Amino acid sequence: MRESVQAEVMMSFLVSEELSFRIPVELRYATGDPYAVRMTFHLPGDEPVTWAFGRELLIDGLAKPCGEGDVHIGPADPEELVDVHIRLQVAGDRALFRASAAPLVAFLDRTDRLVPLGQECALGDFEGNLDEALGRILAEEQSAG
């Protein structure tokens, strides 16, 4: 059984209303973290940056604006499903990307064939793996503080 699916899509990095440029973005979904999708953005002159967020957020964002906190996803035009805006925010810094919906839908379809939406919890010991990961994160924070 495959354990992950990947795709590369081109997105527009919208710097301002007048300036944007196309960048490659790697999409990755793995059964080891069945609730998350990872996007790795390859910005010119910078190290690649990876963001992880809920697969369901990406699915919902194709049809309507959604997201709280650092990630917001929604259709660029509410009247038609052609392009999607993905807004990422860290502190006061924001980045806005525009992607064609079609390759995102194709990628999500492949993730659904790997792990059907709603069946994520059926993958082995996800809760145990989550507890272990949270324990490691808390231990790292305590040793750093």
Side-chain angles (χ1 to χ4, degrees), residues 7-126:
E8 183 174 296
V9 299
M10 294 300 291
M11 293 188 186
S12 293
F13 176 37
L14 306 174
V15 179
S16 69
E17 286 188 29
E18 300 83 26
L19 178 63
S20 69
F21 51 92
R22 309 266 299 154
I23 62 165
V25 178
E26 294 172 34
L27 306 175
R28 180 168 168 75
Y29 176 80
T31 58
D33 190 0
Y35 292 97
V37 168
R38 285 176 171 63
M39 288 188 180
T40 301
F41 298 87
H42 295 272
L43 297 168
D46 286 333
E47 291 293 316
V49 176
T50 300
W51 280 71
F53 50 87
R55 173 171 65 157
E56 208 165 335
L57 174 63
L58 183 56
I59 292 168
D60 292 346
L62 291 171
K64 64 181 189 270
C66 61
E68 295 179 11
D70 297 340
V71 180
H72 294 261
I73 301 173
D77 180 351
E79 299 299 315
E80 55 187 0
L81 178 61
V82 176
D83 289 336
V84 177
H85 279 153
I86 299 172
R87 190 177 79 223
L88 308 174
Q89 181 174 327
V90 176
D93 295 330
R94 290 184 184 170
L96 180 61
F97 300 90
R98 185 180 189 124
S100 174
L104 298 177
V105 169
F107 172 75
L108 289 166
D109 182 58
R110 291 175 54 215
T111 70
D112 194 60
R113 282 187 261 136
L114 186 63
V115 179
L117 193 61
Q119 299 298 311
E120 297 90 350
C121 63
L123 292 178
D125 188 22
F126 180 73

